Amino acid sequence: MLFMFHCVDKAGAADIRAANRAEHLAYLEANADRIFVAGPLLSDDQSGMVGSLLIVECADAAAAQDFASGDPYAKAGLFDSVTIRPWRRVYPKA
């Protein structure tokens, strides 16, 4: 099942994001076979990153929570909030 992860950075936490970016990208690479899409959310003026959006294949809600908790960004305390929801692809048609 696919799950959507909407992660919002804490205000002023760009240094936490930068310090943990390499580990975060390595985590994504290690899970690449499960990732449908992933990328940063940008500020309105597109000058910086303010969060993350991922859609990831997980067995169930517990596995989705485990995936979120294992992210180096989460471990470093980058996120103000993380919303996880089941997601279904409608378009483009698979």
Side-chain angles (χ1 to χ4, degrees), residues 21-35 38 54 67 72:
R21 185 164 171 75
E23 278 187 74
H24 167 74
L25 294 175
Y27 183 71
L28 296 184
E29 186 62 34
N31 289 281
D33 60 325
R34 301 171 51 198
I35 298 174
L54 302 93
F67 177 84

Side-chain angles (χ1 to χ4, degrees), residues 1-5 55-56 58 60-61 64 83-89:
M1 168 174 267
L2 291 169
F3 285 84
M4 178 278 309
F5 300 77
I55 299 178
V56 180
C58 298
D60 53 29
T83 302
I84 303 170
R85 298 261 188 258
W87 184 82
R88 180 182 307 128
R89 179 180 174 171

Side-chain angles (χ1 to χ4, degrees), residues 20-93:
N20 292 279
R21 185 164 171 75
E23 278 187 74
H24 167 74
L25 294 175
Y27 183 71
L28 296 184
E29 186 62 34
N31 289 281
D33 60 325
R34 301 171 51 198
I35 298 174
F36 184 75
V37 67
L41 299 171
L42 303 178
S43 60
D44 290 339
D45 65 3
Q46 301 179 20
S47 66
M49 295 177 245
V50 297
S52 300
L53 177 69
L54 302 93
I55 299 178
V56 180
E57 179 76 33
C58 298
D60 53 29
Q65 183 59 57
D66 288 345
F67 177 84
S69 297
D71 187 332
Y73 281 166
K75 290 180 179 182
L78 172 63
F79 301 128
D80 183 49
S81 67
V82 176
T83 302
I84 303 170
R85 298 261 188 258
W87 184 82
R88 180 182 307 128
R89 179 180 174 171
V90 173
Y91 192 86
K93 294 179 182 184

